[in-house]
Amino acid sequence: MTMLVGHQQTFDEKWPAMQPVILKLLSQESVTRQEWQDLFWNVHSVCMWDDKGGPEKVHSALKTNISNFIKDAQSRIRSHHEGNALLRAYIVEWQKFFSQCVYLPEPFSQLEKSLSDRTNKRKQEQQSIVRKLMLDSWNKNVFHSISDNLKDRTMVLIQEEREGKSVDAQLVIGVRQSFVNLCSNAEDPLQIYHEHFESSYVQATEKHYNSAAENYLNDNGVREYMKYAQQKLSEENQRATRYLESSSVSVLDKHCVSVLVSRFTDAMLAECPHMIRENETDQLSLMFNLMNRVPDGINPIIKYLSEYILQQGLTDMKECRDIITTDSEKYIDLLLVLFQRFSTLVKKSFNDDPRLLTARDKAFKEVVNDYSVFSLELQTKAKQNTVKLPPESRCPELLANFCDMLLRKTPLSKKLSTDEIDAKLKDVLLVLKYVANKDVFMRYHKAHLTRRLILGTSADNEKEENMLEGLREVGMPADYVNKLARMFQDIKVSEDLNQQFKENRKDRASDVANIKILNAGAWSRRSERIPVSLPALLEDLIPDVEEFYKSKHTGRKLHWNHLLSNGIMTFKTDIGQYEIEITTFQMSVLHVWNSRPREAISFESLRLATQLPDAELRKTLWSLVSNGKLKRQVLVCEPSVTSLKGFNDSSIFNINHQFCLLKGGKTQKRGRVNLIGRLQLSTEKNREEDNEGITQLRILRTQEAIVKILKMRKKITNAQLQTELVEILKNMFLPQKKLIKQQIEWLIDNKYMKRDDDDINSFVYIT
Amino acid sequence: MSATVSEKGDAPAGKQPDQLFTLKRWNAVAVWSWDVECDTCAICRVQVMDACLRCQADNKQEGCVVVWGECNHSFHNCCMSLWVEQNNRCPLCQKEWVIQGTGK
């Protein structure tokens, strides 16, 4: 049986049936289904049953046949000498041959198996043996000898395409395929392609633009050149996608960038400051796209942008110096206009690239915190640790003032729609983000809020609360925001208490009085007791309020803050009857005349009657003899004085019985006027202390932060300490180098820390 | 109040409507604070008028009250109730801790 089968399955017997089919396949003639299947069967039989070297015989016979076929093809190609014809002939033959490389190996899969079984099981080899045989033969016989010729010809074609002629893309692609597929190096199948085709392509491209780009720039100038470069970069990228392996596209891009962009960065950047100044966003966007492809290319753009923002911002502020230093609304408006302008520039020109946004933020921050236009002097007279801080921008103060104008009932807040106010408050928060010394803002904002809540002049409670959330969101310190929140709560609690008190009493005094009892922790820690005599009705009320409060709470003491309290009195003159809104101090002064309306009273007597301290009495009298709002004043002083310092003990005061309100030049018989003005929150003496308070608090915060950092790090270099300090403190203020240095010295002197013995620039925590 | 009305014949304002000045409204402001000898809670080192650190963190400022001992020392009630679990003595004077009262 074995003999019989073996006899029928030898190579010599089967080959005559196989060969014609193989030849047909090679020359792409049609093959019937039967022939195709028989070929499979025959290959299989020979490989399985011919044990006298069957597979090897098939292999070498196949090789001979392929070689012969290729030799024919070669001679067909060789008949063309002229470049393009040769190329075209090659491509025709190659494409035919290459497509057969896919089909022909299939019937020989059994051969592959038999051969690889014997040759040390190199099964992992990707390429089939037959395919490799075909391609190797092609390479040896055809391609190797003419590859340089083909490559040069291809480059010529590409160059022609670059110059605008139409070119048969298939020719270029075919040559590339040859380079890619005809590599026998299994480790790096693209080796030949890289070494010959890709590098020639890149060189040719570079060579072309070396001269072309320079000429274009010289003929057309930088602006036109940027368009040209942009266009060529994208053209070359598309071409590369067509003609190169995908891995080569980025290589080519890099070379294109270096030949089209890197060489001319100086020329392009020279235009940059001008473009920024003139807001030429299209040009800038072009430049940005080009420079962004050069390593570190946009750094100069960042520099120009920062310089422009800083310079433009300061110039604009200086031009409007007179207006913005007095009008906080105009000032904030100007800042916002600048911010919008810079932001639009960055958006349109640089597509909001994060690096340029950072540059914008940094430069804008400098504009906001610049103090050359107006400065705020903070200093301290504290004995220990005397620090004089450098001047600061008044921005945070003006910002807080503007915020107050929006939240209080003012002509501005009445004029604006609720959406407009919301938008402006958002703007305030936006600018606040750029303010370095937020502690100054906090102080002014809290003072304004105190006035609004005490006087009940908030325009809209909801907006107040939204603002509070806004402050929280921009990262104001939580303890600060919580205190503000507590003030709101406190006012509500106090209203309930007032209600209860009124219901409890139901008499004339409780009818007139509204009491606000507030938490000292949230509102003000220090408030000195200022003596003042009150009308008897009110004087009698006070112990009753205290009694009532004791019944509601235990363990609390009350402290009356008459500086903040205020009221309304009716003022009856010879002309009419008016309601005047006044402070408690004004009330105390005016009340003195109730029992002797027409008498002249001296400064000294008033001091005795009201018990007010000299400074407060002067201020109160000044507000009654020279109120900017009034044409006719409430009090008349003799001799007349030009400032509150002019009063002396013998100055004489009279009620102005001709007092009246004027409207359009006409006297009014009735009306209401506010004489409180800006509610004074503390006395002169305290205000100085408040100013010092900010500096003192900064000193303490800095010390606290240094200790906190050292406790964690144990040992830290000076540079790192500075960085971490700024990080911790930036939500409150930007610590000055000098301040940090002084506090470090203080902490060293007081043995909280010391310098490292080995390294003078490092600090060590002392436990 | 230390101040008294010094002028004679100062009758309640409302009864004489033809007076020169007639009081219509008075908005009186007072601040309250805990009646303590020392402003700072010796346990958490926070001012007693502010909530203790725990309550600040939990945002429960309103409920954080003060407690007085028989020794007249005062602390945040929250701080002290944790303290007495360890040691039933006043942290300042070491006397046995007896509550005199709590704030409300």
Side-chain angles (χ1 to χ4, degrees):
Chain A
M1 181 73 176
T2 320
M3 283 297 289
L4 183 70
V5 175
H7 181 68
Q8 284 170 344
Q9 309 296 329
T10 60
F11 168 75
D12 298 332
E13 299 227 344
K14 290 289 176 188
W15 181 249
M18 288 154 72
Q19 193 185 23
V21 185
I22 294 174
L23 288 177
K24 271 189 191 170
L25 282 169
L26 277 172
S27 51
Q28 283 194 311
E29 286 166 37
S30 67
V31 171
T32 66
R33 178 180 294 222
Q34 190 60 48
E35 286 172 325
W36 176 245
Q37 285 171 353
D38 284 349
L39 185 58
F40 275 81
W41 169 244
N42 287 333
V43 171
H44 186 83
S45 315
V46 173
C47 292
M48 294 304 282
W49 299 109
D50 187 341
D51 42 9
K52 293 186 198 107
E56 284 81 1
K57 283 182 195 158
V58 173
H59 187 252
S60 70
L62 191 61
K63 193 171 175 179
T64 320
N65 275 277
I66 291 172
S67 295
N68 289 337
F69 172 79
I70 287 173
K71 278 188 187 119
D72 292 347
Q74 188 189 16
S75 61
R76 282 197 295 277
I77 297 168
R78 280 289 167 83
S79 64
H80 302 273
H81 295 287
E82 187 265 329
N84 266 353
L86 174 73
L87 183 59
R88 205 158 281 131
Y90 172 79
I91 295 299
V92 170
E93 293 298 331
W94 161 255
Q95 278 174 341
K96 249 202 272 177
F97 183 75
F98 189 57
S99 62
Q100 286 316 303
C101 287
V102 178
Y103 299 112
L104 194 59
E106 284 187 20
F108 293 93
S109 58
Q110 186 57 45
L111 174 72
E112 313 255 336
K113 232 185 257 172
S114 316
L115 284 175
S116 54
D117 272 353
R118 293 186 201 170
T119 53
N120 288 337
K121 312 214 174 222
R122 291 179 60 198
K123 269 194 169 171
Q124 299 307 320
E125 208 167 329
Q126 293 290 315
Q127 215 171 11
S128 85
I129 294 171
V130 176
R131 183 180 157 89
K132 188 162 164 20
L133 177 68
M134 293 174 77
L135 292 174
D136 283 351
S137 315
W138 181 270
N139 188 17
K140 207 170 86 202
N141 296 315
V142 184
F143 186 65
H144 190 68
S145 53
I146 58 168
S147 68
D148 284 343
N149 203 335
L150 290 174
K151 186 181 70 191
D152 294 344
R153 197 55 229 160
T154 315
M155 294 308 147
V156 172
L157 280 180
I158 292 169
Q159 182 60 21
E160 282 175 1
E161 189 190 77
R162 226 169 245 139
E163 284 159 8
K165 291 183 196 152
S166 81
V167 162
D168 182 0
Q170 283 312 310
L171 297 182
V172 183
I173 293 169
V175 174
R176 183 193 76 203
Q177 273 176 353
S178 303
F179 275 104
V180 172
N181 288 294
L182 293 176
C183 182
S184 49
N185 183 350
E187 317 269 279
D188 180 11
L190 290 178
Q191 185 199 6
I192 297 186
Y193 161 78
H194 280 309
E195 283 172 8
H196 296 97
F197 193 78
E198 183 196 280
S199 65
S200 301
Y201 188 102
V202 169
Q203 270 169 21
T205 312
E206 271 185 331
K207 189 165 158 249
H208 171 70
Y209 288 111
N210 250 330
S211 51
E214 204 150 336
N215 291 341
Y216 195 92
L217 178 64
N218 290 337
D219 295 347
N220 299 288
V222 171
R223 283 156 190 262
E224 285 302 313
Y225 177 75
M226 291 200 303
K227 279 184 210 155
Y228 169 83
Q230 178 77 5
Q231 189 196 344
K232 291 299 161 192
L233 282 174
S234 88
E235 267 177 29
E236 285 306 328
N237 179 280
Q238 281 168 14
R239 204 189 320 281
T241 321
R242 247 192 337 262
Y243 294 148
L244 295 178
E245 291 292 298
S246 54
S247 64
S248 309
V249 176
S250 62
V251 177
L252 181 86
D253 274 349
K254 223 157 73 193
H255 286 275
C256 284
V257 167
S258 91
V259 74
L260 278 165
V261 187
S262 303
R263 290 194 298 154
F264 307 113
T265 50
D266 290 345
M268 290 194 281
L269 287 170
E271 292 288 312
C272 185
H274 179 76
M275 290 173 184
I276 293 181
R277 219 165 33 243
E278 299 300 321
N279 199 25
E280 296 179 53
T281 50
D282 293 344
Q283 290 283 327
L284 283 169
S285 158
L286 204 53
M287 178 180 300
F288 174 74
N289 284 332
L290 291 174
M291 297 303 293
N292 199 17
R293 308 178 68 153
V294 180
D296 291 330
I298 60 162
N299 288 356
I301 300 187
I302 291 178
K303 193 178 122 248
Y304 289 133
L305 181 74
S306 310
E307 283 169 2
Y308 165 75
I309 291 179
L310 187 59
Q311 190 236 339
Q312 189 61 41
L314 293 184
T315 311
D316 279 20
M317 296 234 287
K318 276 175 194 142
E319 270 170 19
C320 311
R321 181 195 295 261
D322 293 340
I323 308 169
I324 58 174
T325 41
T326 48
D327 185 336
S328 53
E329 186 190 356
K330 294 260 162 52
Y331 170 68
I332 303 300
D333 271 350
L334 176 67
L335 279 181
L336 288 169
V337 166
L338 287 170
F339 184 78
Q340 287 308 338
R341 198 189 323 157
F342 301 146
S343 300
T344 320
L345 181 71
V346 173
K347 190 185 174 87
K348 283 195 180 160
S349 309
F350 311 123
N351 196 22
D352 276 349
D353 183 272
R355 289 162 295 182
L356 284 131
L357 285 177
T358 311
R360 174 203 68 187
D361 287 351
K362 240 170 112 183
F364 190 65
K365 204 169 187 173
E366 274 189 62
V367 173
V368 167
N369 293 296
D370 182 86
Y371 54 82
S372 54
V373 175
F374 38 44
S375 63
L376 177 74
E377 296 264 353
L378 290 169
Q379 59 194 73
T380 169
K381 285 181 252 155
K383 295 117 221 158
Q384 160 234 19
N385 254 331
T386 308
V387 174
K388 181 160 190 323
L389 295 177
E392 288 173 8
S393 166
R394 278 182 64 208
C395 178
E397 183 193 341
L398 293 177
L399 197 60
N401 292 350
F402 181 56
C403 181
D404 178 53
M405 284 166 69
L406 293 170
L407 291 172
R408 189 157 46 93
K409 288 179 199 148
T410 55
L412 177 71
S413 68
K414 277 175 198 150
K415 191 180 76 188
L416 297 174
S417 75
T418 162
D419 287 346
E420 281 169 328
I421 292 181
D422 284 340
K424 282 189 187 290
L425 286 173
K426 260 208 188 95
D427 292 343
V428 168
L429 292 170
L430 179 91
V431 176
L432 183 61
K433 272 193 231 168
Y434 293 96
V435 168
N437 294 322
K438 298 189 174 63
D439 54 351
V440 180
F441 174 85
M442 292 184 229
R443 181 184 136 205
Y444 283 100
H445 182 68
K446 187 174 171 188
H448 286 308
L449 178 63
T450 305
R451 291 193 187 97
R452 289 199 297 275
L453 290 178
I454 297 282
L455 297 175
T457 49
S458 275
D460 184 339
N461 254 329
E462 203 185 311
K463 292 210 188 317
E464 293 274 11
E465 277 167 32
N466 289 345
M467 186 66 189
L468 204 62
E469 282 317 301
L471 289 173
R472 214 186 280 282
E473 276 160 26
V474 297
M476 300 299 272
D479 58 338
Y480 168 72
V481 182
N482 287 343
K483 258 192 190 149
L484 297 187
R486 225 165 155 197
M487 287 166 71
F488 285 107
Q489 280 175 4
D490 228 30
I491 282 288
K492 282 186 196 126
V493 171
S494 160
E495 267 162 26
D496 294 345
L497 188 90
N498 183 40
Q499 217 51 49
Q500 289 169 15
F501 178 68
K502 279 171 179 285
E503 275 162 25
N504 210 13
R505 288 272 304 231
K506 285 197 174 142
D507 64 354
R508 154 102 179 117
S510 68
D511 195 32
V512 164
N514 283 313
I515 49 171
K516 282 193 171 69
I517 297 182
L518 308 171
N519 180 318
W523 291 75
S524 66
R525 221 173 277 289
R526 281 171 300 116
S527 54
E528 60 183 310
R529 195 184 204 93
I530 305 166
V532 56
S533 73
L534 299 172
L537 178 75
L538 304 180
E539 205 68 72
D540 295 345
L541 187 69
I542 282 174
D544 293 351
V545 174
E546 286 172 353
E547 197 60 37
F548 174 74
Y549 196 70
K550 265 212 180 87
S551 74
K552 294 278 169 192
H553 297 280
T554 53
R556 297 183 179 194
K557 59 182 177 199
L558 284 186
H559 171 92
W560 291 91
N561 190 338
H562 293 308
L563 203 53
L564 295 181
S565 58
N566 57 84
I568 301 173
M569 292 208 296
T570 321
F571 178 24
K572 201 162 182 295
T573 70
D574 293 349
I575 296 173
Q577 192 170 316
Y578 309 94
E579 287 190 350
I580 50 178
E581 294 171 27
I582 46 178
T583 64
T584 298
F585 291 175
Q586 287 170 330
M587 193 181 282
S588 168
V589 168
L590 294 177
H591 191 73
V592 174
W593 271 275
N594 245 5
S595 51
R596 37 187 167 167
R598 308 262 162 191
E599 268 178 47
I601 303 179
S602 71
F603 184 85
E604 195 185 2
S605 315
L606 283 171
R607 189 166 53 211
L608 286 171
T610 61
Q611 302 192 5
L612 282 169
D614 187 84
E616 298 308 315
L617 180 60
R618 278 173 195 276
K619 221 187 296 167
T620 309
L621 283 169
W622 180 251
S623 72
L624 293 169
V625 300
S626 118
N627 186 311
K629 266 201 265 183
L630 297 175
K631 284 266 185 303
R632 300 191 190 178
Q633 302 295 331
V634 180
L635 286 184
V636 180
C637 171
E638 279 174 55
S640 66
V641 293
T642 51
S643 84
L644 54 86
K645 284 182 193 130
F647 299 133
N648 59 40
D649 278 358
S650 49
S651 296
I652 300 293
F653 296 89
N654 275 297
I655 292 286
N656 178 9
H657 290 279
Q658 298 304 307
F659 176 88
C660 70
L661 295 175
L662 296 163
K663 199 173 178 186
K666 282 187 190 156
T667 56
Q668 305 289 308
K669 281 204 182 302
R670 301 202 178 265
R672 183 189 265 227
V673 64
N674 182 327
L675 301 183
I676 298 174
R678 186 187 221 201
L679 188 68
Q680 198 189 331
L681 296 182
S682 58
T683 55
E684 270 320 300
K685 204 175 109 230
N686 272 347
R687 203 179 327 227
E688 267 172 37
E689 282 169 16
D690 277 356
N691 262 332
E692 275 178 30
I694 285 199
T695 345
Q696 271 307 323
L697 199 60
R698 282 191 193 172
I699 290 173
L700 292 176
R701 294 279 192 219
T702 311
Q703 290 176 355
E704 176 190 56
I706 294 174
V707 171
K708 201 192 255 172
I709 293 167
L710 275 168
K711 220 171 183 172
M712 197 162 61
R713 301 261 181 239
K714 302 295 176 221
K715 185 179 156 181
I716 194 168
T717 63
N718 188 25
Q720 203 188 344
L721 178 65
Q722 306 260 353
T723 326
E724 293 199 16
L725 262 182
V726 171
E727 195 51 41
I728 291 188
L729 296 174
K730 70 176 180 196
N731 277 338
M732 292 175 278
F733 61 96
L734 191 71
Q736 303 286 340
K737 286 237 156 60
K738 199 176 154 201
L739 175 74
I740 297 177
K741 198 166 163 280
Q742 280 169 328
Q743 296 323 310
I744 289 178
E745 294 301 334
W746 189 88
L747 289 168
I748 290 175
D749 290 347
N750 288 276
K751 304 251 183 307
Y752 286 93
M753 58 194 272
K754 60 173 189 182
R755 286 183 196 280
D756 190 29
D757 297 335
D758 304 324
D759 177 8
I760 192 134
N761 281 321
S762 288
F763 302 107
V764 185
Y765 180 61
I766 302 177
T767 35
Chain B
M1 284 300 290
S2 60
T4 54
V5 178
S6 54
E7 300 305 315
K8 56 203 180 304
D10 196 297
K15 287 174 189 151
Q16 294 171 7
D18 52 341
Q19 260 188 326
L20 184 60
F21 294 104
T22 315
L23 189 63
K24 287 206 60 174
R25 173 139 335 278
W26 189 47
N27 303 310
V29 179
V31 291
W32 69 265
S33 49
W34 298 115
D35 194 3
V36 291
E37 280 171 15
C38 175
D39 286 342
T40 314
C41 168
I43 300 174
C44 69
R45 310 301 301 169
V46 171
Q47 303 233 334
V48 286
M49 275 316 288
D50 288 336
C52 71
L53 289 177
R54 268 164 207 283
C55 292
Q56 281 189 32
D58 300 345
N59 210 2
K60 288 193 294 197
Q61 277 96 339
E62 285 310 297
C64 195
V65 297
V66 169
V67 62
W68 287 264
E70 291 283 3
C71 57
N72 259 338
H73 290 126
S74 51
F75 310 93
H76 286 122
N77 199 13
C78 327
C79 296
M80 200 57 208
S81 45
L82 283 173
W83 181 273
V84 292
E85 283 176 22
Q86 305 269 333
N87 179 358
N88 196 28
R89 290 181 183 281
C90 169
L92 290 176
C93 62
Q94 298 301 321
K95 284 187 190 143
E96 193 185 345
W97 180 255
V98 183
I99 293 176
Q100 188 189 77
T102 48
K104 194 177 81 140

